[in-house]
């Protein structure tokens, strides 16, 4: 396809619409979900090592199998090694698909308090035929559901219909280019024409079935596809697809000349999702005023992945964050047994990282928790879902005053206005000593801009 992108016109493509401008990611209205959210905030602010709360955001991987060989992905690199008949790496994962019994165990224990579930991590979710049924089970519990897919595979109309009718809220398609020439550079073994055909069919089926699923075109920005961004934006605008252009994570296996112009010049991503003016707009106001960028976040180097978010891999292995891949990084494994996840959530591994997570100094660590204890991830990564946190706050105050959850007004007000006062008030409810517990105030809106919900 011909491209008249930003290099030829000298203009930037349209800034993509942000998630929060279109719809909320919060569907929960029940008391238990909002109480658990407050308990997560209290336990992080006070540095609890053993928690009563459970995570309110989960990444659950339906499949760690993938047909592509992307150079920035561990699964893709494993596929390339197998293709070249090279020796298997010690940390390679055996191909597996998530069992329905494992998901049922998670939902039985956590379903009432989960706000958001991302069915994706290290594989292609559509390679698990049970995916629509898994999404349906989560959707029935008012959990917002999202799937990321490369969509470079043959899909019958029936398969796409089942996906759309599952109750899924978002389908994000990874498509890094507007031609086979550009697309295949990173999405090795992918077919651009097949992905575009499948995406167009999803648009048509969405309209015919009368569902409101958000479709997203996710594009990693490289030097070789920068000139196509305007064309992608125009294509998406005409079909009610949200266009999201993201920074790629560069590895040593990726050529340096793949860096887009703005990164070579040391400039920020001009297409980023959330800008300071948007994050400070009236859309983020509650009865207590404008929300801070980070809600209930203590000063110092702490990690929301140890309290509010987590990852369950396709084999049931639990990782503290979505950036880990090695089986040796598993903190435990969820089974089909009742309350299997909760036992892992408070095992010795999670207690250790909550207690010893590095506060600016290098920690010499070995064993299961070493990846966390040596972590140097950015603040943005450690509070990856801060935009969803703000949506939960806004959602709470949108509930009717007759809602049972509105019994928590005092705590939601204090959490926003003064985390230290929130801790003192919530300590009584939690059963801790009613004496004042001194904690730093949460960081203000002037903190760095984040990319928001993945």
């Amino acid at each position: 396809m011909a491209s008249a992108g930003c290099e030829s016109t000298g203009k930037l493509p349209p800034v993509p619409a942000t998630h929060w401008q279109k719809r909320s990611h919060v569907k929960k209205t029940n008391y238990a979900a909002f109480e658990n959210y407050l308990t997560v905030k209290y336990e992080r602010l006070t540095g609890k090592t053993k928690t009563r709360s459970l995570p309110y955001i989960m990444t659950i991987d339906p499949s760690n199998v993938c047909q592509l060989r992307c150079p920035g992905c561990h699964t893709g690199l494993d596929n390339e090694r197998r293709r070249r008949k090279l020796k298997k790496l010690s940390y390679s994962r055996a191909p597996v698909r998530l069992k329905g019994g494992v998901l049922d165990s998670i939902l039985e224990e956590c379903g009432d308090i989960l706000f958001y579930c991302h069915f994706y991590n290290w594989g292609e979710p559509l390679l698990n035929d049970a995916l629509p049924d898994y999404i349906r089970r989560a959707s029935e519990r008012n959990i917002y559901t999202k799937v990321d897919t490369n969509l470079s595979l043959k899909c019958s109309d029936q398969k796409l219909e089942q996906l759309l009718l599952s109750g899924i809220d978002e389908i994000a398609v990874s498509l890094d280019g507007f031609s086979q020439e550009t697309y295949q550079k990173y999405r090795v073994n992918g077919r651009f024409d097949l992905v575009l055909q499948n995406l167009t069919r999803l648009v048509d089926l969405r309209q015919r079935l009368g569902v409101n699923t958000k479709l997203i075109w996710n594009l990693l920005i490289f030097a070789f596809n920068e000139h196509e961004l305007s064309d992608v934006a125009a294509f998406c605008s005409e079909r009610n697809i949200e266009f999201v252009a993201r920074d790629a994570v560069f590895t040593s296996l990726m050529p340096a000349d793949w860096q887009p112009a703005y990164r070579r010049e040391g400039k920020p991503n001009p297409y980023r999702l959330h800008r300071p003016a948007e994050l400070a707009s009236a859309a983020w106001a509650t009865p207590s005023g404008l929300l801070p960028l980070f809600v209930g976040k203590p000063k110092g180097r702490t990690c929301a992945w140890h309290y509010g978010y987590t990852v369950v891999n396709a084999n049931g292995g639990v990782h503290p964050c979505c950036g880990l891949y090695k089986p040796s990084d598993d903190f435990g494994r969820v089974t089909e047994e009742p309350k299997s996840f909760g036992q892992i959530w408070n095992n010795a591994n999670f207690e250790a990282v909550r207690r010893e997570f590095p506060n600016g100094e290098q920690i010499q660590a070995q064993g299961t928790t070493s990846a966390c204890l040596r972590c140097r991830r950015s603040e943005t990564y450690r509070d990856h879902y801060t935009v969803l946190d703000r949506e939960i706050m806004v959602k709470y105050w949108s509930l009717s005053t007759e809602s049972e959850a509105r019994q928590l007004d005092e705590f939601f007000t204090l959490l926003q206005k003064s985390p230290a006062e929130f801790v003192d008030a919530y300590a009584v409810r939690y059963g801790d000593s009613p004496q004042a517990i001194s904690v730093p105030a949460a960081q203000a809106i002037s903190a760095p801009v984040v990319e928001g919900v993945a």
Side-chain angles (χ1 to χ4, degrees):
M1 295 184 183
S3 177
C6 55
E7 288 190 355
S8 59
T9 63
K11 298 179 181 179
L12 295 176
V15 176
T18 59
H19 291 300
W20 64 269
Q21 286 176 317
K22 288 195 170 185
R23 70 175 78 184
S24 171
H25 291 83
V26 182
K27 299 161 70 175
K28 279 283 200 289
T29 59
N30 59 309
Y31 181 92
F34 288 101
E35 183 183 40
N36 180 74
Y37 174 77
L38 290 172
T39 305
V40 168
K41 295 299 179 182
Y42 174 81
E43 290 173 337
R44 186 182 179 193
L45 281 163
T46 54
K48 299 288 185 184
T49 57
K50 184 178 285 292
T51 71
R52 298 177 189 174
S53 64
L54 292 168
Y56 54 91
I57 297 170
M58 279 194 180
T59 291
I60 300 179
D61 201 0
S63 165
N64 69 359
V65 181
C66 187
Q67 76 280 28
L68 303 188
R69 305 194 300 274
C70 306
C73 171
H74 286 293
T75 306
L77 294 175
D78 279 348
N79 289 344
E80 178 63 17
R81 291 186 69 85
R82 280 192 288 269
R83 186 187 72 85
R84 297 170 60 186
K85 299 181 179 179
L86 299 176
K87 183 179 178 181
K88 181 180 177 181
L89 297 174
S90 60
Y91 60 77
S92 296
R93 283 189 172 271
V96 67
R97 291 168 176 80
L98 183 72
K99 294 181 179 178
V102 172
L103 178 68
D104 287 339
S105 175
I106 294 169
L107 292 180
E108 185 62 30
E109 186 172 13
C110 307
D112 288 343
I113 51 88
L114 273 178
F115 285 97
Y116 182 93
C117 186
H118 192 181
F119 283 99
Y120 167 76
N121 198 28
W122 288 113
E124 170 48 54
L126 295 186
L127 291 178
N128 187 330
D129 291 336
L131 178 64
D133 185 50
Y134 292 177
I135 294 166
R136 178 188 55 78
R137 297 183 206 181
S139 297
E140 287 174 349
R141 293 176 178 266
N142 283 333
I143 301 170
Y144 193 98
T145 55
K146 179 182 179 181
V147 162
D148 276 51
T149 171
N150 60 57
L151 212 56
S152 182
L153 65 172
K154 293 182 179 180
C155 297
S156 65
D157 282 349
Q158 181 183 17
K159 182 168 186 171
L160 295 181
E161 284 185 12
Q162 288 175 344
L163 183 60
L164 288 170
L165 292 174
S166 67
I168 190 163
D169 294 290
E170 290 186 28
I171 301 173
V173 180
S174 299
L175 188 48
D176 310 313
F178 205 52
S179 64
Q180 180 65 23
E181 179 184 4
T182 55
Y183 168 72
Q184 68 185 357
K185 288 182 181 293
Y186 183 78
R187 302 288 166 181
V188 180
N189 203 41
R191 285 180 49 194
F192 174 77
D193 61 337
L194 182 58
V195 184
L196 200 65
Q197 180 189 65
N198 285 336
L199 179 56
T200 302
R201 289 164 65 212
L202 279 173
V203 171
D204 295 340
L205 285 169
R206 177 179 62 177
Q207 181 174 355
R208 180 170 66 80
L209 296 171
V211 296
N212 192 33
T213 305
K214 180 193 289 187
L215 298 177
I216 302 171
W217 182 316
N218 266 341
L219 182 145
L220 298 178
I221 310 169
F222 297 102
F224 54 76
N225 65 17
E226 271 188 294
H227 66 285
E228 296 178 329
L229 294 181
S230 289
D231 289 336
V232 176
F235 179 94
C236 292
S237 178
E238 292 170 0
R239 293 162 178 81
N240 192 23
I241 300 170
E242 183 171 335
F243 174 43
V244 178
R246 297 183 180 275
D247 290 323
V249 176
F250 274 76
T251 71
S252 59
L253 299 178
M254 296 157 66
D257 61 6
W258 281 12
Q259 292 272 5
Y262 69 88
R263 292 179 72 164
R264 293 196 301 269
E265 296 167 3
K267 297 178 180 178
N269 180 355
Y271 322 111
R272 68 188 180 195
L273 286 177
H274 298 291
R275 299 173 183 273
E278 295 168 350
L279 292 170
S281 77
W284 295 114
T286 75
S288 302
L290 182 68
L291 284 164
L293 178 59
F294 297 106
V295 176
K297 177 182 181 298
K299 287 185 178 179
R301 189 176 171 84
T302 67
C303 186
W305 288 96
H306 299 155
Y307 291 92
Y309 329 148
T310 199
V311 175
V312 179
N313 289 303
N315 68 342
V318 177
H319 273 172
C321 81
C322 63
L324 300 177
Y325 176 76
K326 299 177 182 178
S328 59
D329 293 328
D330 287 351
F331 276 23
R333 183 173 294 185
V334 180
T335 68
E336 298 181 10
E337 295 299 315
K339 299 186 177 180
S340 173
F341 174 81
Q343 294 173 16
I344 297 167
W345 190 238
N346 272 308
N347 67 14
N349 292 323
F350 271 107
E351 287 192 52
V353 295
R354 292 179 189 130
R355 181 177 58 249
E356 302 172 14
F357 188 72
N359 191 14
E361 295 184 6
Q362 181 69 36
I363 290 181
Q364 298 298 321
Q366 295 181 349
T368 303
T369 62
S370 61
C372 279
L373 300 185
R374 294 174 178 170
C375 177
R376 289 295 176 266
R377 296 281 188 173
S378 68
E379 181 178 48
T380 296
Y381 183 87
R382 287 182 279 115
D383 279 81
H384 182 65
Y385 291 101
T386 187
V387 173
L388 183 57
D389 266 350
R390 302 171 103 213
E391 288 188 14
I392 291 171
M393 298 290 285
V394 170
K395 176 69 173 185
Y396 176 82
W397 289 107
S398 76
L399 299 178
S400 166
T401 54
E402 303 301 315
S403 167
E404 182 186 14
R406 289 296 298 271
Q407 298 176 39
L408 302 168
D409 282 9
E410 173 193 2
F411 303 114
F412 273 88
T413 298
L414 291 175
L415 179 63
Q416 179 175 342
K417 296 180 69 174
S418 174
E421 292 182 62
F422 162 75
V423 165
D424 287 344
Y426 207 80
V428 179
R429 181 184 191 83
Y430 192 82
D432 281 343
S433 169
Q435 297 178 349
I437 301 173
S438 177
V439 297
Q443 297 188 5
I445 193 70
S446 57
V449 172
V450 298
E451 291 295 319
V453 177

